[in-house]
């Protein structure tokens, strides 16, 4: 195995691990929504992210400089991340987390490929088309579409549709990050812009009350959401978009709903039904097909 193949294999393994972490983050973020609004929770999340990520950048001896040509991409990415934070947590508060998680994770790769076709005039290959089809069928199986209630019956689930669209567009911007400096430095500045977009809408009284709380459920979940999920897993995802493109990176998201179901079974004792297993395996097959040479 040459150096390039080894690097690609490592990136694949790290991406799979990141998607497993994303799966765990769904119930964790649902717990957080009981403590505050999406804006207030976003303040804590991206505050911790900026601190933890800059420590990582210092450890990696990464320069924080970004080319001036990259500033428009940086501002767009940061603004979209702020919007995603609102729609994502808003969906968890007002919609169905299970159905919403599947909607976002199924539609994300499909929207990313559709956007890529429009922007780059690039048609998906045969393997990519088969993989996308597997992914859509996986989502339908996971939703148990043949016997479930209308997933759009709850208005909050529309937030998840917006989340998928916003994430797809944002991934396209972050895929250009390597052209303007280190992808990790780009990501730090992106989170900085995100926090700056959130601060004007913050309720600082509510923030002060949460700072004084001793509830370990809040602090444990907010640290997991920020340091583990965002600083490590999400930053890895954005790094991958700069290396393999937004479309292929987004395909790994098909793994998320299955990992969420498995860990809900292992940790919370929730039922792991046959349609979940079939949908999860199809999602994994989708990732394999889309990234197959």
């Amino acid at each position: 195995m040459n150096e390039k193949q080894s690097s690609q294999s490592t990136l694949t393994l790290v991406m799979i691990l990141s998607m497993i972490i994303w799966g765990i983050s769904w119930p964790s973020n649902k717990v957080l929504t009981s403590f505050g609004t999406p804006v207030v929770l976003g303040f804590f999340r991206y505050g911790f992210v900026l601190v933890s990520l800059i420590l990582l950048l210092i450890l990696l001896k990464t320069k924080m400089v970004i080319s001036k040509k990259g500033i428009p991409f940086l501002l767009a990415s940061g603004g979209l991340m702020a919007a995603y934070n609102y729609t994502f947590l808003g969906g968890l508060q007002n919609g169905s987390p299970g159905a919403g998680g599947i909607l976002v994770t199924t539609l994300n790769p499909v929207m990313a490929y559709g956007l890529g076709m429009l922007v780059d005039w690039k048609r998906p290959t045969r393997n990519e088309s088969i993989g996308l089809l597997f992914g859509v069928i996986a989502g339908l199986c996971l939703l148990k579409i043949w016997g479930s209630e209308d997933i759009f019956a709850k208005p909050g689930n529309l937030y998840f549709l917006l989340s998928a669209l916003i994430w797809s567009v944002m991934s396209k911007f972050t895929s250009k990050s390597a052209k303007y400096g280190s992808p990790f430095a780009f990501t730090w500045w992106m989170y900085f812009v995100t926090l700056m977009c959130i601060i004007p809408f913050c309720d600082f009284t509510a923030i002060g009350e949460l700072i004084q709380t001793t509830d370990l459920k809040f602090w444990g979940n907010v640290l997991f959401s920020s340091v583990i999920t965002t600083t490590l897993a999400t930053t890895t995802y954005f790094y991958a978009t700069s290396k393999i493109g937004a479309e292929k990176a987004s395909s790994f998201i098909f793994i998320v709903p299955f990992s969420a179901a498995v860990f809900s079974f292992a940790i919370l004792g929730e039922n792991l039904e046959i349609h979940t297993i079939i949908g999860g395996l199809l999602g994994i097959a989708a990732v394999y097909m889309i990234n197959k040479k």
Side-chain angles (χ1 to χ4, degrees):
M1 183 183 293
N2 60 38
E3 186 176 343
K4 183 178 180 181
Q5 288 175 324
S6 176
S7 178
Q8 289 176 338
S9 298
T10 301
L11 181 60
T12 298
L13 289 173
V14 173
M15 280 291 286
I16 291 172
L17 178 60
S18 297
M19 296 304 101
I20 291 172
I21 292 172
W22 276 11
I24 301 172
S25 75
W26 279 92
S28 174
N29 279 298
K30 177 60 179 177
V31 171
L32 278 178
T33 59
S34 64
F35 287 94
T37 65
V39 173
V40 168
L41 295 174
F43 175 85
F44 280 95
R45 169 183 286 178
Y46 295 107
F48 280 119
V49 166
L50 289 177
V51 174
S52 57
L53 185 53
I54 200 165
L55 292 176
L56 180 61
L57 291 174
I58 292 172
L59 182 65
L60 296 173
K61 298 180 180 180
T62 302
K63 293 182 179 180
M64 297 292 293
V65 179
I66 296 294
S67 167
K68 289 182 179 179
K69 293 181 179 180
I71 291 177
F73 293 90
L74 187 66
L75 295 175
S77 300
L80 288 167
M81 177 61 87
Y84 176 81
N85 175 79
Y86 180 82
T87 56
F88 170 71
L89 292 176
L92 287 177
Q93 281 185 328
N94 303 299
S96 302
I102 296 167
L103 274 174
V104 173
T105 51
T106 303
L107 290 176
N108 248 321
V110 176
M111 288 183 174
Y113 266 90
L115 186 63
M117 289 171 63
L118 289 174
V119 174
D120 301 328
W121 293 101
K122 178 184 176 183
R123 294 179 61 184
T125 64
R126 178 175 174 273
N127 282 346
E128 289 171 342
S129 299
I130 294 172
L132 289 171
L133 179 60
F134 280 173
V136 172
I137 297 174
L140 295 176
C141 287
L142 289 162
L143 283 170
K144 200 178 179 180
I145 198 72
W146 56 88
S148 62
E149 62 182 58
D150 184 2
I151 57 176
F152 299 112
K154 287 189 176 183
N157 284 346
L158 294 175
Y159 280 107
F160 291 121
L161 287 177
L162 285 173
S163 295
L165 178 60
I166 290 168
W167 190 271
S168 301
V169 177
M170 180 174 59
S171 296
K172 201 64 182 172
F173 282 110
T174 60
S175 68
K176 309 295 183 183
S177 62
K179 294 182 179 180
Y180 308 109
S182 165
F184 293 112
F186 183 96
T187 304
W188 189 91
W189 285 110
M190 181 192 73
Y191 290 140
F192 177 79
V193 173
T194 300
L195 185 60
M196 292 301 102
C197 290
I198 288 173
I199 285 176
F201 303 98
C202 283
D203 179 351
F204 287 98
T205 301
I207 289 172
E209 291 173 353
L210 280 176
I211 289 175
Q212 295 175 28
T213 186
T214 56
D215 193 325
L216 293 180
K217 185 184 290 186
F218 169 74
W219 291 112
N221 281 287
V222 80
L223 285 171
F224 178 82
S225 174
S226 55
V227 179
I228 305 299
T229 303
T230 307
T231 299
L232 298 180
T234 305
T235 299
T236 297
Y237 171 84
F238 289 137
Y239 173 78
T241 65
S242 71
K243 295 298 180 182
I244 60 177
E247 295 81 14
K248 287 190 179 294
S250 67
S251 71
F252 284 87
I253 299 175
F254 282 131
I255 298 172
V256 176
F258 186 51
S259 70
V262 169
F263 277 94
S264 294
F265 167 74
I267 298 171
L268 304 176
E270 294 184 359
N271 292 332
L272 189 60
E273 300 182 30
I274 187 65
H275 68 88
T276 304
I277 296 173
I278 294 172
L281 293 175
L282 282 170
I284 294 170
V287 175
Y288 173 76
M289 289 301 299
I290 289 173
N291 291 279
K292 182 182 178 183
K293 294 295 183 184

